[in-house]
Amino acid sequence: MENLPYKVMHDELPEQSIIRFSGQLIINHIEKIADAVKNGLKTDKDLQIEIDNPESVDVTFIQLILSLKATLKANGKATTVKAELKPEIQLLIKNSGFQNVLN
């Protein structure tokens, strides 16, 4: 398996899908991260997004989360986000106005 600077993991439970993200969630990798999401996304179940202490996050990743939420909402499904973030990443997200995206 490739040693990538990010991780995208999918779990399927009977009542919901779970996608877990970690590592470098930035523009340099966002195309491959988005492809990994698309390849495993089930839009017929509610989705739980878990962001596990990433090394870095930028606005492209936030846009991906917004897109996931919109896609699931359009299919009548709920999305929840659980994020474990370093204080400096929390501050960056807050200062850029996206704090509500990760709630």
Side-chain angles (χ1 to χ4, degrees):
M1 184 172 178
E2 236 180 303
N3 190 15
L4 300 171
Y6 60 86
K7 284 187 182 177
V8 179
M9 299 184 328
H10 297 268
D11 282 329
E12 292 298 324
L13 302 176
E15 68 283 356
Q16 72 177 355
S17 298
I18 300 172
I19 300 179
R20 291 181 181 90
F21 297 96
S22 61
Q24 297 177 15
L25 307 175
I26 58 175
I27 193 168
N28 303 44
H29 313 296
I30 200 66
E31 190 172 328
K32 290 183 180 183
I33 292 170
D35 288 345
V37 169
K38 288 177 200 169
N39 290 336
L41 184 62
K42 307 281 189 236
T43 57
D44 60 341
K45 296 181 186 179
D46 290 344
L47 176 65
Q48 180 171 303
I49 299 169
E50 297 180 4
I51 305 165
D52 185 22
N53 226 353
E55 291 174 38
S56 50
V57 172
D58 69 12
V59 71
T60 61
F61 180 73
I62 301 296
Q63 289 171 324
L64 176 64
I65 299 300
L66 286 168
S67 175
L68 284 170
K69 285 180 157 187
T71 298
L72 273 288
K73 185 176 182 178
N75 285 295
K77 301 300 174 186
T79 305
T80 57
V81 179
K82 294 182 178 183
E84 289 290 327
L85 303 171
K86 298 174 196 170
E88 60 269 17
I89 293 177
Q90 289 176 2
L91 184 60
L92 174 73
I93 290 169
K94 180 181 177 188
N95 288 343
S96 60
F98 291 112
Q99 65 271 17
N100 293 331
V101 174
L102 301 183
N103 295 334

